[in-house]
Amino acid sequence: MTATDRSIELIKTAAQAAADKLAHDIIAYDVSDVLAITDAFLLASAPNDRQVKSIVDEIEERLSKELGAKPVRREGDRDARWVLLDYVDIVVHVQHSEERVFYALERLWKDCPQLDLPADALATHGKAAEHAKAKAADEDDLDGELR
């Protein structure tokens, strides 16, 4: 079994929405062969809680406006470290970059086929690492100035 056309449409729209809000490392997996509860997972991350929430809000708004889809469940809003949107056909995970590294969902789903995503979403690959390097360099510069 493979992800339905509806699931793929939801994934692509959600991925574009996440990319438009500068999410990092957007990736989608077809999990329909291993899970009976959903067809696909979308993973995205951001370097801070505010951006996680912004990405989630944009995904939810776009899927509602463009495809008439509303999540049946939304979890993790309070801390905005890992927010899950369950649309039945797809599940969207938007994680703070630290949670993304710690939980390593890609490792769990690496044997599942990746779904094609819009070019803007693909361009986000490696952005978390770039952000971490830039942040480390800024912190090193600040440490140097304080000495």
Side-chain angles (χ1 to χ4, degrees):
M1 182 177 208
T2 60
T4 64
D5 290 342
R6 173 69 172 167
S7 297
I8 292 169
E9 180 181 36
L10 290 166
I11 285 287
K12 287 183 176 183
T13 302
Q16 184 62 55
D20 290 348
K21 286 295 181 175
L22 307 178
H24 296 167
D25 300 316
I26 302 168
I27 192 166
Y29 293 100
D30 180 340
V31 297
S32 61
D33 283 341
V34 294
L35 291 177
I37 59 171
T38 193
D39 281 350
F41 280 166
L42 180 73
L43 310 176
S45 55
N48 60 62
D49 302 351
R50 177 179 278 168
Q51 191 174 356
V52 167
K53 189 159 180 35
S54 176
I55 293 164
V56 168
D57 290 345
E58 183 69 13
I59 290 170
E60 194 170 2
E61 184 175 326
R62 287 279 250 322
L63 290 180
S64 177
K65 278 185 179 178
E66 295 177 18
L67 302 175
K70 296 191 184 296
V72 296
R73 188 173 54 158
R74 181 176 173 155
E75 294 182 7
D77 268 342
R78 183 184 323 212
D79 296 330
R81 301 286 295 180
W82 181 349
V83 180
L84 179 143
L85 296 172
D86 183 352
Y87 286 89
V88 180
D89 293 328
I90 70 166
V91 175
V92 176
H93 300 269
V94 182
Q95 298 174 295
H96 188 287
S97 298
E98 293 169 359
E99 269 69 13
R100 179 88 177 257
V101 170
F102 183 79
Y103 289 102
L105 294 179
E106 291 92 339
R107 191 180 69 228
L108 294 173
W109 305 110
K110 69 180 179 197
D111 294 334
C112 295
Q114 288 187 30
L115 294 171
D116 291 332
L117 296 176
D120 291 344
L122 295 175
T124 67
H125 289 218
K127 293 291 184 185
E130 287 176 26
H131 183 271
K133 282 182 186 177
K135 184 177 177 184
D138 288 346
E139 288 172 359
D140 287 347
D141 289 347
L142 182 61
D143 284 346
E145 290 175 12
L146 294 175
R147 289 185 197 159

